[in-house]
């Protein structure tokens, strides 16, 4: 850390547990005549003179000093049980010298108490003048907390928003099917998450829990990111919960929710920033917040997938818990977070931490039982265990003492600014502060404005530039004996079961969703469903009445079924391969779906089958009695989950663009691409063979399952003019190489 080396104290040598105080600098800073220096700070009793003016410029190249990985084995449940020490409740902090030099500790406490006498406004004004970072506010984010997260992400080489493998390759690329999952707890109003979503766009999904009330999430204030990708869940009771992380029921409920919605793998990282006002008891902050700290660590151990990361405010008992652990000794963080704030960043969660998680869960229950009594949990890890790990112990002491020095300096500086309103920080033009946004965090220096709203028609034209407007009115070609004959190569096609009319869906953000049937060019109507989509989204869909259960207990719900995608939250995917578009649609649906909101209309992607696998569709067809159909069983298709719907037909989509086609090589026993014009053939997908959206849409076939079309064995009537299941299957059979 650059400035701690320069920081001096009159006490000089011997200061700090390791005697790293610098005497020469202390003496230099005692000279009179330097502006702003030599003030006797009332409340400091002249005991501590601090040169706050030698603060170095922040640098973009900060080094992260990781704590050495702990090599001791993780203790088992039996041993952990012995660890907890319950004793008399302790409400003093002055004697907490196991991990910090006493003099430094007392100086911090003294500096902090000086401010007890200042009123809030006076303090804020002085703080702003003393620290140019105070002016940063949130740039275009909803608060300054977002900038702290941006800072941390940058310092750690984007290991949160762009995690990399051991060889430095991105672990989750944007074109991959997997989303970046994250959690944000004790997180209202949500600046951290806004930053993550701003950087990651819709390729991420966040889960959040925070206290309900005035500090709840302010999702409507996420101007720079799409809050549709963030799902608050307040513990037991879901959206009706209270969000209190210290309640065991809430921890369990949030854990189950997150695991259920991440394929039981957990999130890639968790952020926790819990805090509450300790007004009047500033010096007891660490004691008063210890349960909150414990619960935040517990939450990380509960939902972070192994091998991943989590940053959180510092506490001291993580040893043996988190595996690799580090503390950022980083000036910028302090600049940005003002004073009194510090984060722990942990990376690479170890396997086999179940006992530790259960231990902390039990400690938390004990803390709840002992609330408002004069007994308390005073230790969760015995002192000798911590001290026996010399590297870890040294690391913590160093870190604490450096932090104390920075705090003393920051507090003294503010104090000086309070006393002398003419003092001002010298910010030069070449100061990186001016380049901070772009240079440091790679965030453009833009003003914060609410996203402009636009009417659906002009948004539509903006999004579809390059595609002929006529494309949208194309109707599918009916499948009959002659159009079926035109299918020469079955490998070129995919199919999907239809449940109603095809429409276009345009998302302008939140519940601003419009539909258009493709007929009249400017007839966008507001979608009459309860759902949310991120802005700049254009989809080809069906609104299908899904049914659950049979008979009287049957429930009906309108669901959005995606047939194809054009633009996803500003991401134009029209020219990608159909399979890729469907894969992105699946990912998009995962990112925007709200499992905590059964009151919302679901969004799903159609199940896509290869034409040669059409038989798999018929297996899913049944005759079922449907409410309101007079007791007569009707054809019904059951999708991946237990919902079913009345199918109206089958779409057959050509996904290979002319003059390319697919063929099968008997010699190589694999498929290949063949160019009918040039006779060229290749195993690798040629980019010209990719059928963009408009080609797929234009060339699609529709096999209507109307009256007289026999697709299920129990259907009696077969119109000889129409294609039956047998006709189509035998055609496919005949054309299968
Ligand atoms: C400093 S703010 C978090 C700011 C946030 N990181 C952001 O970027 O906007 C601290 C938050 O912790 C929450 N909090 C405090 N105690 C809590 C508790 N017991 N359970 C859940 N949240 C809590 C507060 O309500 C507040 O929203
Ligand atoms: C099949 O459909 C096409 C296109 O709509 C039509 O031109 C043709 O006459 C139909 N053929 C038969 C045999 O129904
Ligand atoms: C492609 O192959 C066919 C059949 O072997 C042949 O008739 C045709 O001339 C070839 N076309 C080209 C462009 O080589
Ligand atoms: C949402 C919810 O059920 N929250 C619970 C959290 O825990 C407290 C204390 O047990 C309950 O009162 C809340 O109902």
């Amino acid at each position: 850390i650059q400035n701690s080396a320069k920081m001096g104290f009159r006490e000089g040598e011997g200061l700090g547990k390791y005697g790293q105080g610098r005497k020469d600098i202390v003496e230099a800073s005692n000279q009179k005549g330097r502006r702003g220096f030599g003030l006797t700070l009332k409340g400091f009793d002249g005991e501590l003179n601090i040169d706050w003016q030698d603060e170095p410029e922040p640098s973009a190249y900060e080094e992260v000093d990781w704590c050495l990985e702990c090599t001791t084995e993780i203790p088992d449940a039996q041993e952990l049980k012995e660890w907890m020490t319950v004793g008399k409740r302790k409400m003093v902090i002055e004697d907490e010298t196991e991990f910090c030099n006493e003099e430094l500790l007392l100086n911090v406490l003294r500096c902090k108490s000086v401010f007890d006498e200042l009123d809030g406004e006076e303090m804020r004004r002085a703080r702003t003048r003393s620290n140019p970072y105070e002016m940063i506010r949130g740039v275009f984010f909803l608060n300054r907390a977002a900038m702290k997260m941006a800072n941390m992400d940058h310092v750690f080489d984007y290991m949160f928003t762009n995690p990399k493998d051991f060889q430095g390759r991105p672990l989750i690329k944007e074109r991959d099917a997997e989303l970046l999952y994250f959690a944000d707890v004790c997180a209202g109003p949500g600046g951290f998450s806004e930053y993550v979503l701003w950087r990651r766009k819709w390729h991420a999904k966040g889960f959040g829990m925070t206290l309900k009330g005035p500090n709840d999430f302010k999702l409507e204030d996420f101007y720079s990111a799409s809050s549709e990708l963030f799902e608050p869940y307040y513990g037991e009771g879901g959206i009706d919960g209270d969000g209190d992380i210290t309640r065991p029921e809430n921890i369990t409920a949030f854990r189950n929710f997150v695991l259920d919605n991440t394929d039981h793998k957990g999130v890639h990282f968790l952020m926790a920033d819990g805090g509450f006002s300790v007004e009047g008891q500033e010096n007891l902050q660490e004691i008063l917040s210890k349960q909150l700290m414990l619960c935040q660590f517990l939450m990380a151990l509960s939902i972070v997938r192994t091998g991943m990361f989590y940053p959180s405010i510092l506490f001291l008992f993580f040893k043996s818990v988190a595996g690799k652990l580090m503390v950022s000794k980083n000036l910028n963080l302090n600049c940005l977070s003002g004073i009194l704030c510090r984060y722990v960043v942990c990376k690479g969660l170890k396997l086999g931490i179940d006992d530790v998680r259960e231990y902390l869960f039990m400690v938390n229950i004990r803390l709840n039982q002992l609330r408002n009594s004069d007994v308390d949990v005073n230790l969760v890890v015995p002192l000798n265990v911590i001290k026996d790990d010399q590297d870890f112990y040294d690391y913590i002491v160093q870190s604490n003492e450096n932090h104390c020095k920075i705090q003393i300096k920051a507090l003294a500086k503010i104090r000086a600014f309070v006393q002398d309103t003419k003092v001002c920080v010298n910010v030069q033009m070449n100061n990186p502060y001016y380049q901070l946004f772009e240079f440091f965090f790679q965030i453009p220096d833009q003003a914060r404005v609410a996203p402009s709203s636009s009417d659906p028609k002009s948004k539509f034209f903006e999004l579809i530039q390059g595609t002929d407007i006529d494309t949208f009115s194309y109707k599918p070609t009916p499948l009959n004996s002659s159009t079926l004959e035109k299918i020469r190569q079955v490998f070129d096609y995919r199919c999907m079961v239809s449940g109603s009319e095809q429409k276009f869906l345009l998302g302008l953000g939140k519940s601003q969703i419009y539909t258009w049937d493709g007929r009249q060019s400017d007839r966008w109507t507001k979608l009459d469903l309860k759902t949310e989509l991120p802005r700049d989204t254009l989809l080809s869909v069906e609104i299908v009445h899904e049914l659950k259960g049979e008979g009287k207990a049957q429930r009906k719900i309108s669901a959005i079924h995606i047939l194809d995608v054009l633009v996803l939250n500003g991401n134009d995917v029209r020219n990608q391969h159909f399979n890729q578009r469907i894969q992105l649609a699946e990912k998009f649906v995962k990112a925007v779906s709200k499992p905590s909101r059964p009151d919302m209309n679901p969004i799903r992607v159609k199940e896509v089958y290869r034409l040669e696998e059409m038989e798999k569709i018929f297996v899913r067809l049944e005759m079922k009695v449907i409410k309101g159909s007079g007791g007569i069983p009707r054809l019904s298709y059951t999708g991946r989950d237990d919902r079913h719907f009345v199918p109206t037909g089958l779409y057959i989509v050509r996904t290979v663009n002319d003059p390319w086609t697919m063929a099968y090589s008997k010699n190589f026993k694999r498929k290949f691409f063949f160019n009918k014009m040039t006779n060229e053939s290749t195993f690798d997908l040629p980019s010209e063979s990719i059928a963009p959206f408009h080609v797929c849409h234009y060339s699609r076939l529709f096999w209507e399952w109307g009256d007289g079309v026999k697709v299920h064995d129990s259907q009696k009537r077969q119109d000889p003019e129409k294609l039956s299941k047998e006709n189509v299957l035998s055609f496919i059979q005949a054309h299968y190489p």
Side-chain angles (χ1 to χ4, degrees):
I1 187 156
Q2 294 155 308
N3 78 331
S4 68
K6 287 197 215 156
M7 207 181 302
F9 297 87
R10 198 169 58 197
E11 289 80 2
E13 235 142 24
L15 208 147
K17 250 193 159 74
Y18 297 95
Q20 70 275 49
R22 294 261 310 266
K23 207 176 166 198
D24 47 335
I25 294 177
V26 177
E27 280 165 4
S29 63
N30 269 335
Q31 289 161 13
K32 301 272 171 192
R34 285 178 62 183
R35 187 175 69 146
F37 189 70
L39 294 168
T40 310
L41 306 180
K42 187 172 147 252
F44 289 162
D45 299 330
E47 275 174 49
L48 187 67
N49 268 322
I50 299 146
D51 182 3
W52 48 264
Q53 289 199 323
D54 62 354
E55 210 170 45
E57 301 302 348
S59 150
Y61 308 101
E62 284 169 283
E63 263 188 47
V64 172
D65 182 14
W66 292 91
C67 177
L68 286 177
E69 187 178 338
C70 169
T71 50
T72 358
E73 249 181 67
I74 300 175
D76 61 16
Q78 203 57 37
E79 192 183 339
L80 286 167
K81 247 194 222 144
E82 318 273 294
W83 275 15
M84 186 171 71
T85 313
V86 177
K88 199 176 168 321
R89 183 174 295 273
K90 192 167 166 294
M91 291 302 267
V92 283
I93 204 163
E94 282 80 359
D95 60 352
E96 290 289 343
T97 54
E98 292 288 354
F99 299 95
C100 186
N101 165 278
E102 183 175 6
E103 214 157 344
L104 277 173
L105 173 68
L106 294 180
N107 278 333
V108 171
L109 295 175
R110 235 181 337 232
C111 286
K112 278 171 98 173
S113 29
V114 171
F115 296 94
D116 292 350
E117 284 137 50
L118 282 182
D119 76 70
E121 191 43 42
E122 202 177 1
M123 171 87 175
R124 249 188 309 281
R125 272 203 306 270
R127 237 169 105 159
T128 309
R129 275 188 305 121
S130 73
N131 186 349
Y133 291 91
E134 296 280 339
M135 288 185 275
I136 291 174
R137 304 276 157 221
V139 196
F140 49 78
F141 298 117
L142 76 93
N143 61 11
R144 228 158 45 109
M147 293 301 288
K148 288 190 217 171
M149 191 57 213
N151 189 180
M152 262 188 281
D153 196 28
H154 177 76
V155 166
F156 289 94
D157 196 23
Y158 301 94
M159 80 172 200
F160 301 107
T161 57
N162 187 16
K164 297 176 192 79
D165 65 12
F166 290 110
Q167 281 142 338
R169 287 177 311 213
L171 221 52
I172 312 161
K173 292 180 280 294
E174 291 205 342
R175 56 171 293 125
D176 286 356
E178 199 186 11
L179 289 165
L180 177 76
Y181 287 108
F182 67 93
D184 198 3
V185 297
C186 302
F192 279 18
S193 288
E194 191 192 12
Y195 163 74
V196 172
L197 290 174
W198 168 76
R199 192 163 288 290
R200 199 69 201 193
K201 308 283 177 307
W202 65 272
H203 302 278
K205 157 104 190 176
F207 303 97
M209 180 161 98
T210 200
L211 275 183
K212 280 268 178 72
N215 298 318
D216 200 350
F217 293 116
K218 306 252 177 324
L219 297 187
E220 63 286 357
D221 290 345
F222 279 33
Y223 290 173
S224 68
S226 294
S227 64
E228 298 85 353
L229 308 163
F230 187 77
E231 185 165 12
Y233 193 83
Y234 298 89
E236 202 176 74
I239 54 164
D240 298 318
D242 63 5
D244 186 347
I245 199 178
T246 65
R247 303 295 179 190
E249 306 89 317
N250 288 344
I251 297 174
T252 307
F254 190 72
R255 174 170 197 236
N256 291 339
F257 179 70
V258 170
L259 293 181
D260 283 349
N261 293 295
T262 53
D263 302 321
H264 288 269
K265 290 193 191 124
V267 292
H268 292 101
F269 69 99
L270 171 138
M271 304 173 286
D273 191 19
F276 49 85
S277 172
V278 287
E279 226 173 292
Q281 292 180 287
E282 281 83 358
N283 282 349
L284 289 178
Q285 187 172 32
E286 284 77 9
I287 290 179
L288 298 173
S289 359
K290 69 181 186 182
Q291 187 183 7
L292 194 56
M293 303 300 163
L294 179 122
C295 290
Q296 294 177 80
F297 275 104
L298 171 55
M299 194 60 102
L301 296 185
S302 302
I303 63 169
V304 172
R305 57 180 76 185
T306 47
M308 303 311 283
F309 337 99
Y310 52 97
S312 131
I313 282 185
L314 177 70
F315 199 55
L316 287 179
F317 53 79
F318 30 68
K319 197 231 160 190
S320 314
V321 173
K324 291 183 227 153
L325 168 138
M326 67 127 341
V327 178
S328 164
K329 300 194 302 175
N330 154 350
L331 176 65
N332 277 351
L333 281 191
N334 287 288
C335 291
L336 273 175
S337 54
I339 46 178
L340 318 180
C341 188
R342 189 152 58 141
Y343 293 87
V344 167
V345 179
C346 305
K347 180 174 171 171
L349 184 63
K350 287 180 177 176
L351 280 167
I353 50 94
D354 293 353
D355 287 348
V356 181
R357 188 188 61 241
E358 273 151 35
Y359 170 63
L360 292 185
F361 194 82
M362 188 272 295
V363 172
N364 182 46
I365 292 176
R366 198 87 185 98
L367 282 167
N368 281 334
Q369 289 165 346
L370 297 175
R371 263 192 204 183
N372 308 319
S373 80
D374 54 3
V375 181
D376 197 10
V377 177
N378 287 330
L379 277 175
V380 286
V381 180
L383 268 185
N384 71 294
V385 174
I386 301 177
K387 287 188 170 173
D388 282 352
D389 187 336
Q390 189 69 39
D391 288 334
F392 178 77
Y393 178 68
D394 290 351
Y395 185 87
I396 295 302
V397 172
Q398 288 263 359
S399 165
N400 283 345
E401 293 183 350
N402 282 330
H403 188 64
C404 280
K405 291 172 190 171
I406 295 166
Q407 284 209 14
I408 291 168
K409 192 166 273 236
L411 290 162
K413 186 171 169 183
I414 297 173
R415 178 69 183 147
F417 278 76
V418 171
Q419 286 204 322
D420 183 349
T421 51
K422 286 188 280 296
V423 186
C424 143
V425 192
N426 188 15
V427 180
Q428 283 144 18
M429 281 315 285
N430 63 358
N431 185 314
Y433 165 68
Y434 283 108
Q435 300 145 23
L436 190 72
F437 309 107
E438 270 149 6
F439 181 67
F440 270 17
F441 312 150
Q442 289 159 27
I443 288 171
D445 184 5
Q446 287 165 0
R448 174 175 160 78
V449 283
S452 58
S453 59
S454 54
D455 66 289
K457 194 180 165 190
S458 47
K459 179 54 84 181
F460 172 70
F461 282 112
E462 182 192 318
L463 294 181
I464 62 141
Q465 276 180 34
T467 299
D468 186 353
I469 180 75
D470 292 339
T471 302
F472 298 89
S473 48
Y474 295 147
K475 291 292 138 199
T477 306
L479 189 75
N480 58 30
S481 50
S482 55
T483 52
L484 181 65
E485 277 304 321
K486 294 216 175 86
I487 295 181
R488 302 263 36 126
Q489 187 37 269
V490 289
F491 294 151
D492 293 352
Y493 296 84
R494 293 285 190 277
C495 42
M496 295 175 280
V497 178
S498 167
S500 85
E501 288 276 281
Q502 183 265 339
K503 284 177 162 56
F504 292 98
L505 206 72
L506 179 64
L508 302 181
K510 303 264 167 17
S511 58
Q512 292 280 310
I513 303 172
Y514 292 83
T515 58
W516 171 45
D517 59 14
R519 282 191 198 110
Q520 285 154 296
S521 61
D522 50 1
R523 274 287 182 82
W524 286 95
T525 53
K526 190 94 195 291
L527 177 71
D528 190 23
L529 293 181
K530 189 165 176 181
T531 190
E532 289 186 349
L533 282 179
R535 73 179 94 104
D536 295 348
T537 295
L538 184 61
L539 314 169
S540 168
V541 304
E542 286 177 352
I543 311 293
V544 176
H545 294 301
E546 289 183 340
L547 304 155
K548 198 177 180 177
E550 265 188 90
K552 285 219 161 61
Q554 194 167 62
R555 286 198 302 122
K556 194 153 118 181
I557 184 166
S558 294
I560 298 169
H561 288 192
I562 297 180
L563 292 162
D564 206 341
V565 291
L566 294 89
V567 187
L568 298 169
N569 195 196
N571 192 183
D572 185 348
V573 299
R574 284 174 292 173
N575 292 327
Q576 304 216 20
H577 193 284
F578 178 77
N579 296 352
Q580 176 73 7
R581 293 202 301 271
I582 291 295
Q583 198 176 81
L584 288 171
E586 302 263 12
K587 178 176 168 184
F588 182 79
V589 162
K590 266 195 194 169
V592 303
S593 71
K594 298 277 184 303
S596 67
R597 299 290 303 273
D599 59 317
M600 283 186 158
N601 297 88
I603 306 181
R604 309 179 205 282
V605 182
K606 284 281 190 204
E607 282 148 46
V608 177
Y609 299 85
R610 296 170 184 279
L611 187 62
E612 69 262 30
E613 299 173 334
M614 191 184 280
E615 221 146 342
K616 288 186 181 172
I617 295 174
F618 296 113
V619 173
R620 289 176 168 275
L621 294 181
E622 288 167 276
M623 301 305 285
K624 283 192 176 182
V625 177
I626 282 159
K627 231 184 190 170
S629 65
I632 301 154
R634 289 188 63 185
L635 188 66
S636 133
Y637 168 84
T638 307
R640 268 178 297 223
D641 36 49
D642 62 344
R643 290 179 196 279
H644 54 270
F645 61 87
V646 175
T648 55
L650 190 80
Y651 279 110
I652 300 175
V653 181
R654 185 187 155 96
T655 67
V656 182
N657 207 1
D658 266 335
W660 290 90
T661 184
M662 289 194 81
Y664 187 79
S665 160
K666 290 202 175 84
N667 286 344
F668 291 93
K669 294 197 169 51
R670 59 186 282 201
K671 292 176 188 171
F672 67 96
F673 293 90
F674 177 73
N675 187 320
K676 289 181 280 188
M677 300 276 282
T678 65
N679 290 351
E680 193 188 336
S681 61
T682 170
F683 287 121
D684 301 321
L685 175 95
S687 56
E688 322 88 76
S689 76
I690 294 175
F693 166 78
H694 71 270
V695 171
C696 293
H697 191 66
Y698 173 75
S699 60
R700 73 204 196 281
L701 295 154
F702 187 67
W703 176 18
E704 197 185 325
W705 292 349
D707 203 25
V709 177
K710 195 173 165 185
V711 290
H712 191 268
D713 296 339
S714 71
Q715 285 173 318
K716 296 281 169 322
R717 224 174 73 76
Q718 169 60 47
D719 183 340
E721 299 287 299
K722 294 180 179 170
L723 289 171
S724 70
K725 168 178 145 186
E726 265 60 49
N727 301 145
V728 176
L729 285 182
S730 60
F731 174 87
I732 292 169
Q733 194 87 58
H735 288 78
Y736 191 85

